[in-house]
Amino acid sequence: MTRLHQQLLYIAALASATLLSADALNIIGSSSGDTSHKPITTTNNPSRRNFVQFGLVAAAASSMPTMAANAVDAQFKEVGQQERPPEGETPFSTLPNGVQIKDFRQGSGSTVQNGSRVELTMKGRLLNLNGVIFYDTKSNDPNGFGEGTPLQFTVGDKSVLPGLESGLIGMSRGGIRRIIVPAEVGYGAFPSLEPQPLTDVERRALDSVVKNPRRDQTVMFDCKVERLK
């Protein structure tokens, strides 16, 4: 039985309960001696009962596709990739290697280039799982103050995903950029490169995608350049 069928049966049960409650109230009204008006009886009117039940179920069924669509839209809006852009605006720029980038804040000063030493605060999300977080620099918090520890590396030293590196090029200190990395320049081809999950929960989330070839291994990073040398 699908979830939709279960929900429809549940709504039908509520409809029956509502009508039975009305019957009970009518019985109470009849037995209380109040004869100023005759209570409406539904017990002996099965056609009316069926009509109300059918109407409630039909209304619920007709509204569920809209509700489901809105839920999906909300999930993807949070993730960012599938958010509908304003008319005439392109949400991401696509690099030659397939990486997509979008700036949310421009930084200042010198820009990230090959050989730059960078410190990033960032989150990584799995698009295949509607944006489940698999990496967060705040998870690396040895002092317990909730500040986390930035990811530090030198661009071009081959320690991090090449798709992430290419997406950082051109950023400045204080800049914030969303970077979407396809499997070919991400974990699909380089599963052991940084950034790697920092908690068991994050590790299981990433492995559930990377170790399943049937799943889309595209990931998304929200990055802020904290320091740049």
Side-chain angles (χ1 to χ4, degrees):
M1 181 181 294
T2 66
R3 183 176 180 81
L4 176 60
H5 291 158
Q6 292 175 336
Q7 291 172 322
L8 291 177
L9 289 175
Y10 178 70
I11 293 171
L14 287 178
S16 297
T18 301
L19 291 173
L20 288 173
S21 298
D23 293 344
L25 289 174
N26 288 331
I27 293 171
I28 293 172
S30 299
S31 60
S32 63
D34 182 4
T35 58
S36 59
H37 60 83
K38 184 180 292 184
I40 300 173
T41 304
T42 59
T43 306
N44 298 321
N45 194 348
S47 61
R48 180 177 180 273
R49 178 191 303 275
N50 293 338
F51 175 78
V52 173
Q53 289 177 342
F54 177 79
L56 288 172
V57 173
S62 64
S63 65
M64 280 184 180
T66 302
M67 293 167 61
N70 290 340
V72 171
D73 285 350
Q75 289 174 347
F76 281 124
K77 185 171 182 179
E78 180 182 351
V79 174
Q81 185 191 25
Q82 301 294 336
E83 182 179 2
R84 295 185 180 90
E87 211 155 303
E89 181 182 330
T90 302
F92 290 90
S93 299
T94 303
L95 306 180
N97 61 359
V99 171
Q100 299 177 65
I101 61 174
K102 179 178 181 180
D103 287 313
F104 287 84
R105 180 196 296 170
Q106 297 289 339
S108 60
S110 59
T111 60
V112 176
Q113 302 294 334
N114 193 42
S116 297
R117 180 72 177 174
V118 296
E119 292 186 15
L120 307 175
T121 52
M122 57 187 290
K123 284 185 180 181
R125 296 178 180 271
L126 299 166
L127 296 187
N128 184 266
L129 298 181
N130 290 330
V132 168
I133 295 173
F134 72 91
Y135 180 81
D136 188 347
T137 50
K138 287 189 176 181
S139 298
N140 186 11
D141 187 29
N143 296 322
F145 295 119
E147 297 178 347
T149 303
L151 176 66
Q152 305 177 35
F153 64 95
T154 300
V155 178
D157 67 2
K158 298 183 179 180
S159 65
V160 304
L161 301 175
L164 176 59
E165 281 191 330
S166 63
L168 293 171
I169 298 297
M171 292 187 70
S172 301
R173 182 177 180 180
I176 298 175
R177 178 176 290 180
R178 178 161 286 174
I179 304 172
I180 297 176
V181 180
E184 295 77 11
V185 286
Y187 292 109
F190 307 94
S192 61
L193 293 186
E194 293 290 341
Q196 291 293 316
L198 299 168
T199 68
D200 291 339
V201 173
E202 293 172 354
R203 167 57 63 189
R204 286 194 294 270
L206 181 60
D207 286 348
S208 70
V209 172
V210 172
K211 294 184 178 181
N212 187 344
R214 294 175 295 178
R215 284 185 165 175
D216 181 6
Q217 297 170 344
T218 301
V219 295
M220 184 182 75
F221 295 102
D222 288 334
C223 307
K224 179 182 179 183
V225 178
E226 299 289 353
R227 293 186 181 180
L228 171 61
K229 295 180 182 180

